[in-house]
């Protein structure tokens, strides 16, 4: 089953962009997923192909019109989840990415200007999504982030089926640190436990480091997921 992505944007020429190279690009070429970028302006009805208007109540900027957005969404509606990239959305999580990747695809609506007329969220089953607590010029980069996160999880995209199982956020923790040769670099050596060949000790060390780094860098994850209370990978035991 091909994962089908439809992107509604004022700048379809931005796609596939980074999605056309590396893992996502190779998967796109192999037909593991498909990408259809459509211009929202094609669904405008006036001679000027207007897609926005001034904010009701006054204020700076322009707002994307609900009738144009609805027509664009209706043109690709087929039961796939519909997501709108906006800083007012819920944070994108790895759990949500996995849900999307397990489905038939997604429709992604890219915001611009001051954003969407709020009525579009009432009139269509549109899920507002944010990729972080900051503001971009538009939703296109956010759409690329979302789709890249999904595509890499599709069967046949990553080299091994288990490649994503112990990555950051999969178990509510940041991933443990990695090392490779040379063993000694500028007086810094690979931790001895990683050279011991003892898989249980390695698993326990990795889990402990994942907890420590998450507590230091992302205490919100520890609080939200109870990461320090989760079982170590590979069944290894670790005491706080």
């Amino acid at each position: 089953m091909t994962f089908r992505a439809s992107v509604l944007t004022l700048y379809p020429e931005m796609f596939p962009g980074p999605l056309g190279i590396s893992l996502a690009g190779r998967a796109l070429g192999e037909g593991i997923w498909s990408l259809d970028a459509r211009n929202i302006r094609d669904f405008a009805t006036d001679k000027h192909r207007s897609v926005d208007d001034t904010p009701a109540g006054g204020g700076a900027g322009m707002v994307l019109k609900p009738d144009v957005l609805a027509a664009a969404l209706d043109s690709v509606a087929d039961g796939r989840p519909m997501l709108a990239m906006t800083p007012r959305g819920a944070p994108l999580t790895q759990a949500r990415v996995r849900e999307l990747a397990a489905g038939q695809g997604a429709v992604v609506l890219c915001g611009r200007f001051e954003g969407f007329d709020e009525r579009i969220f009432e009139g269509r089953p549109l899920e507002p999504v944010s990729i972080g607590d900051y503001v971009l010029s538009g939703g296109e980069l956010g759409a690329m982030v979302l789709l890249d996160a999904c595509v890499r999880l599709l069967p046949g995209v990553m080299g091994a089926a288990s490649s994503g199982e112990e990555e950051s956020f999969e178990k509510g923790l940041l991933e443990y640190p990695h090392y490779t040769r040379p063993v000694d670099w500028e007086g810094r050596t690979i931790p001895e436990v990683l050279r011991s060949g003892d898989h249980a000790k390695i698993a326990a060390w990795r889990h402990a480091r994942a907890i420590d780094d998450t507590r230091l860098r992302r205490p919100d994850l520890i609080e939200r997921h109870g990461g320090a209370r989760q079982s170590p990978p590979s069944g290894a035991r670790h005491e706080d």
Side-chain angles (χ1 to χ4, degrees):
M1 180 179 65
T2 299
F3 180 93
R4 295 179 298 112
S6 296
V7 178
L8 304 175
T9 169
L10 290 175
Y11 300 97
E13 62 272 19
M14 292 180 67
F15 294 86
L19 297 173
I21 60 175
S22 189
L23 290 177
R26 184 165 63 248
L28 187 62
E30 294 174 354
I32 295 176
W33 73 294
S34 65
L35 176 62
D36 172 31
R38 301 193 181 192
N39 195 331
I40 296 172
R41 201 172 294 280
D42 291 341
F43 300 91
T45 56
D46 66 336
K47 65 179 181 180
H48 300 295
R49 302 177 74 202
S50 302
V51 297
D52 57 351
D53 208 330
T54 56
M62 303 290 280
V63 178
L64 290 167
K65 295 162 58 70
D67 52 341
V68 179
L69 295 176
L73 289 167
D74 292 346
S75 73
V76 292
D78 57 4
R80 288 174 295 165
M82 292 182 173
L83 305 102
M85 305 310 300
T86 166
R88 297 185 67 244
L92 181 65
T93 65
Q94 189 67 13
R96 184 63 179 125
V97 166
R98 281 205 171 274
E99 291 174 352
L100 293 170
Q104 296 182 344
V107 175
V108 187
L109 178 63
C110 300
R112 279 276 162 178
F113 315 127
E114 293 303 308
F116 309 107
D117 184 303
E118 189 68 14
R119 290 172 293 177
I120 193 63
F121 296 102
E122 302 168 4
R124 296 296 182 274
L126 195 57
E127 175 186 348
V129 175
S130 169
I131 63 166
D133 295 342
Y134 46 86
V135 179
L136 301 172
S137 298
E140 287 77 16
L141 294 179
M144 292 176 189
V145 168
L146 184 150
L147 292 176
D148 182 82
C150 291
V151 169
R152 64 189 298 275
L153 297 180
L154 300 178
V157 176
M158 287 194 286
S162 61
S163 294
E165 291 181 359
E166 292 188 0
E167 292 182 325
S168 293
F169 312 115
E170 286 294 343
K171 294 180 174 64
L173 297 171
L174 299 182
E175 191 176 8
Y176 50 79
H178 293 277
Y179 298 85
T180 189
R181 289 182 287 270
V183 173
D184 185 287
W185 174 72
E186 294 187 351
R188 299 169 175 85
T189 60
I190 296 175
E192 184 176 352
V193 64
L194 298 180
R195 296 177 278 135
S196 68
D198 188 323
H199 297 294
K201 288 184 178 180
I202 291 172
W205 180 89
R206 285 174 169 172
H207 184 65
R209 278 301 306 268
I211 291 173
D212 291 344
D213 288 353
T214 304
R215 183 178 288 116
L216 177 65
R217 301 176 185 180
R218 291 291 304 275
D220 59 305
L221 291 178
I222 291 286
E223 181 178 352
R224 189 185 317 158
H225 299 289
R229 296 189 297 274
Q230 297 187 11
S231 299
S234 305
R237 295 185 178 275
H238 169 72
E239 294 183 5
D240 287 331

